[in-house]
Amino acid sequence: MLFALFILSSLYVSIVNSWGPTGHSLVAKIAQSMLTSNSKKFVQDHLPWYTNGDLSMLASWPDTILYPDTNPVDYLNWQWSLKLHFVNTPDWICNYDRNRDCDWTNEQRCVDGSIQNYTERLANTKQDSIQRQEALKFLVHFIGDIHQPLHAGFSSDKGGNLIKGRFFDNTTNLHSIWDTLMIERRISLDFQSDSNKYYNYLLDIMHTTYMKNISQWSKCPSSDESKYLACSTAWINEDVALNCAFVYRDEQDKPFSVSQQFQLGQIYYNTRIGIVEERLLQSGVRLAAVINKIVELRKHNDKSCPGTVLIAIVLFLEVLLVLICFICYLIRRTFRRQSFGETSDNYHVVKS
Ligand SMILES: *[C@@H]1O[C@H](CO)[C@@H](O)[C@H](O)[C@H]1NC(C)=O
Ligand SMILES: *[C@@H]1O[C@H](CO)[C@@H](O)[C@H](O)[C@H]1NC(C)=O
Ligand SMILES: *[C@@H]1O[C@H](CO)[C@@H](O)[C@H](O)[C@H]1NC(C)=O
Ligand SMILES: [Zn+2]
């Protein structure tokens, strides 16, 4: 009973720290639909049994652990992970620089470093299974977060959190509009408040409108080669470009400011909801590509494992030996029959 309650609460509590639970769940479901059969098995082996290998069930776990209302017992122990959800970029500079904005080798934590960290840890067979499970749960969430443009927002307004105003009837801030309010509005107006219907719609446009984009989204630009295809630098640069062009501009195209309340409605929604949907799709496609790549590399590593090769060679040699013995036996049998039988003359002929 308590257990069921725990699962339910982790699914339904809403938090304002990243794509809301709906956004994260959509990203995970899109990714799930693109996993290879090997990856599905891998995911099943790396998630708790009660998820039955369903990535979306724990997609918001990294948010739920942070707050006392969802994790009263040890939310304090997880505060170190708060910084892993986002990165800040300088106001209106409109590019991302890893050395300047997220030098994680010098203890500067951010979503770029966390994605590189957890892909590495998930792929690493030397990590124990608990560590790899943690890595997968973080990765599913952070590849979602990194596609919400305001998770790479400007430093002075804390990714839009300090820019306040009204969006239709809601008193809110810019960050929440992008995390949840636009998605909520879309689902309630056009999909009878049923996020499954919305998921089916997203899957549908992915396989039609965006069919040609999928392979390009799944690759890294050459400037950001990553062996696990987690091109986090490129993804953050996409965020920053969107921020400067659309996210941080009001309906008259004027930049938002912390000192002024905004009033946004139909125009902002109509011109930005398409961006939200593209980011959800990209995020799902890329999460699947990363997991598929990691599983493929692990399989490859297993194949070249010296143990297996050695056993195969020994088996092969054994079979060969048995065959040779058998042939020897056959030859000797024929030879004996010949030397003691009617053809003994031939033997002397050959010998001389
Ligand atoms: C990498 O993951 C470990 C384990 O969760 C964590 O302690 C460490 O801070 C992470 N490093 C970065 C750069 O995110
Ligand atoms: C936004 O406003 C609508 C309509 O008033 C309401 O149903 C919804 O719960 C509000 N959302 C938030 C996050 O406050
Ligand atoms: C999808 O592909 C088209 C055609 O190549 C391109 O113009 C468009 O920008 C792409 N969209 C995204 C979101 O990558
Ligand atoms: Zn988050």
Side-chain angles (χ1 to χ4, degrees), residues 55-284:
L55 285 177
S56 72
M57 276 185 74
L58 291 173
S60 292
W61 171 80
D63 283 337
T64 59
I65 57 177
L66 289 172
Y67 302 98
D69 53 343
T70 44
N71 185 17
V73 179
D74 70 343
Y75 74 98
L76 284 174
N77 294 334
W78 290 102
Q79 294 310 303
W80 63 271
S81 69
L82 182 63
K83 285 189 158 186
L84 307 183
H85 294 244
F86 62 91
V87 62
N88 283 322
T89 53
D91 300 12
W92 297 101
I93 295 296
C94 306
N95 68 36
Y96 170 68
D97 179 337
R98 191 175 265 178
N99 293 327
R100 179 194 64 204
D101 305 327
C102 183
D103 181 8
W104 66 85
T105 53
N106 284 319
E107 297 299 307
Q108 197 182 0
R109 294 285 186 258
C110 87
V111 70
D112 184 11
S114 69
I115 286 176
Q116 293 309 317
N117 186 34
Y118 290 117
T119 46
E120 191 68 50
R121 291 171 73 91
L122 186 60
N124 187 345
T125 45
K126 292 193 190 76
Q127 293 286 345
D128 64 42
S129 68
I130 296 189
Q131 295 297 319
R132 275 185 277 129
Q133 186 179 110
E134 184 198 74
L136 179 60
K137 290 191 289 182
F138 273 135
L139 204 57
V140 170
H141 184 88
F142 294 146
I143 292 184
D145 276 349
I146 203 174
H147 284 80
Q148 203 280 55
L150 286 173
H151 277 247
F154 301 158
S155 354
S156 68
D157 55 60
K158 299 200 183 308
N161 276 296
L162 301 183
I163 301 178
K164 316 247 180 199
R166 292 179 70 73
F167 180 68
F168 293 95
D169 292 336
N170 298 97
T171 303
T172 186
N173 64 62
L174 191 62
H175 191 93
S176 299
I177 293 178
W178 284 83
D179 268 356
T180 45
L181 290 177
M182 283 198 280
I183 295 177
E184 263 178 22
R185 186 175 181 82
R186 177 84 161 120
I187 296 176
S188 84
L189 288 185
D190 302 325
F191 298 93
Q192 295 89 47
S193 299
D194 182 346
S195 54
N196 272 322
K197 285 188 182 150
Y198 188 44
Y199 163 67
N200 288 326
Y201 165 81
L202 289 176
L203 214 56
D204 188 50
I205 60 172
M206 180 172 88
H207 291 305
T208 51
T209 317
Y210 294 104
M211 196 60 213
K212 293 211 174 94
N213 293 86
I214 292 177
S215 71
Q216 183 226 329
W217 290 347
S218 320
K219 284 189 279 230
C220 288
S222 54
S223 58
D224 186 10
E225 266 327 319
S226 151
K227 77 177 148 163
Y228 306 123
L229 300 180
C231 351
S232 41
T233 307
W235 303 339
I236 294 171
N237 269 310
E238 292 169 355
D239 286 325
V240 177
L242 289 171
N243 283 337
C244 287
F246 304 105
V247 178
Y248 275 100
R249 291 180 187 278
D250 68 12
E251 295 178 342
Q252 282 77 45
D253 216 29
K254 286 211 281 291
F256 288 115
S257 98
V258 176
S259 57
Q260 216 175 0
Q261 298 257 321
F262 60 75
Q263 174 67 58
L264 299 170
Q266 206 64 51
I267 297 176
Y268 193 82
Y269 173 78
N270 285 348
T271 47
R272 273 66 169 176
I273 187 68
I275 298 174
V276 170
E277 291 179 350
E278 284 181 358
R279 293 308 269 168
L280 292 174
L281 289 173
Q282 285 177 320
S283 180

